[in-house]
Amino acid sequence: MALHTVCSWDEPPNRRYRYWLEATLEDPSEKASTGICLFLMLNPNKADWDRSDETVNRCKRLAQEWGYGTLWVCNLFPVRGGNSNALPRDRMGPYKPENPEFAGCALCQGDSQRDVHINDLHIRQAGQAAEVIVCAWGGKGGLNERGREVTTMLVSAGHEDRLYTFGLTKTERQPKHAKPQLRGWWPEPTELTPWVDVEEWLAEGKKR
């Protein structure tokens, strides 16, 4: 039985792209939870249809603590790899997989938006359906100004009232990661707050 629902793609040589992960959080012994909690992070690690990893497990616990029944995970960059310092030059991967082996998922099957990168398509569709969007990609989200690019996309779609963070990193001023590189500090459920100054944050980027 699958642990998660995943939309991913393999491309030689030995690259793996994951666009979306879904985990059902309802506990049969508890009162059924509802709603979708979307985490937007930097890039995928090991979690797949048949296994989880430390970060996704933490996101599951947080989303469940907040009362959501479903966790969705998307990323700024779809290329898989635990070490963000070693992200390959082609961080976004194929614009849209053109291969009959790529079945797609509920968010991208049959979609004809050829002008949208498939990773951005998943972020757009997930952002539209989620009740809360947790921006948690960490300091490396400044790569290619990708964090602001994705945030602009969500704000332009009218989702700014559903954007939340654990605060911004001190140096890079990017939304803190759900699992920071410095061990020993993990965000608590109560630390999540609405990103009320997101417009000001976007304006900061334009001034640079």
Side-chain angles (χ1 to χ4, degrees):
M1 183 176 178
L3 180 63
H4 303 126
T5 301
V6 173
C7 187
S8 62
W9 170 247
D10 287 318
E11 183 189 63
N14 302 319
R15 286 186 179 179
R16 180 74 180 248
Y17 302 93
R18 194 190 78 203
Y19 307 112
W20 172 69
L21 178 144
E22 178 185 68
T24 300
L25 304 175
E26 287 93 349
D27 184 343
S29 66
E30 301 290 339
K31 182 179 178 180
S33 301
T34 59
I36 297 169
C37 175
L38 169 64
F39 267 81
L40 277 177
M41 291 182 285
L42 185 69
N43 70 304
N45 193 3
K46 298 177 181 178
D48 211 333
W49 66 272
D50 60 345
R51 63 176 175 174
S52 193
D53 58 32
E54 191 177 15
T55 301
V56 169
N57 283 338
R58 181 58 180 173
C59 293
K60 287 179 183 179
R61 289 193 291 271
L62 288 168
Q64 202 158 22
E65 186 78 19
W66 296 325
Y68 292 97
T70 302
L71 169 72
W72 283 1
V73 178
C74 291
N75 297 272
L76 302 187
F77 303 106
V79 63
R80 196 185 290 270
N83 183 0
S84 60
N85 292 316
L87 282 170
R89 185 171 299 175
D90 182 15
R91 301 179 182 100
M92 291 298 291
Y95 198 82
K96 199 158 190 176
E98 300 288 350
N99 192 298
E101 295 179 2
F102 180 67
C105 67
L107 298 188
C108 69
Q109 277 180 342
D111 197 280
S112 60
Q113 297 184 43
R114 295 287 174 174
D115 58 331
V116 179
H117 190 286
I118 189 168
N119 194 60
D120 287 351
L121 175 60
H122 284 82
I123 293 173
R124 285 187 182 188
Q125 300 285 63
Q128 186 173 351
E131 292 188 9
V132 62
I133 304 169
V134 183
C135 299
W137 49 75
K140 295 293 193 307
L143 284 168
N144 299 345
E145 287 296 322
R146 179 66 176 152
R148 283 186 168 84
E149 181 181 38
V150 168
T151 304
T152 298
M153 179 170 62
L154 293 169
V155 169
S156 298
H159 305 326
E160 61 271 18
D161 291 341
R162 288 183 284 129
L163 298 181
Y164 286 72
T165 73
F166 295 110
L168 302 181
T169 60
K170 291 182 179 179
T171 304
E172 307 91 350
R173 287 190 53 74
Q174 296 285 330
K176 291 179 180 178
H177 201 285
K179 186 185 78 67
Q181 292 181 347
L182 295 176
R183 300 287 175 170
W185 180 88
W186 290 81
E188 295 296 329
T190 54
E191 292 182 86
L192 190 73
T193 57
W195 197 354
V196 293
D197 60 346
V198 64
E199 296 281 4
E200 290 84 349
W201 182 79
L202 290 173
E204 284 179 17
K206 293 178 181 178
K207 294 176 182 177
R208 294 181 180 179

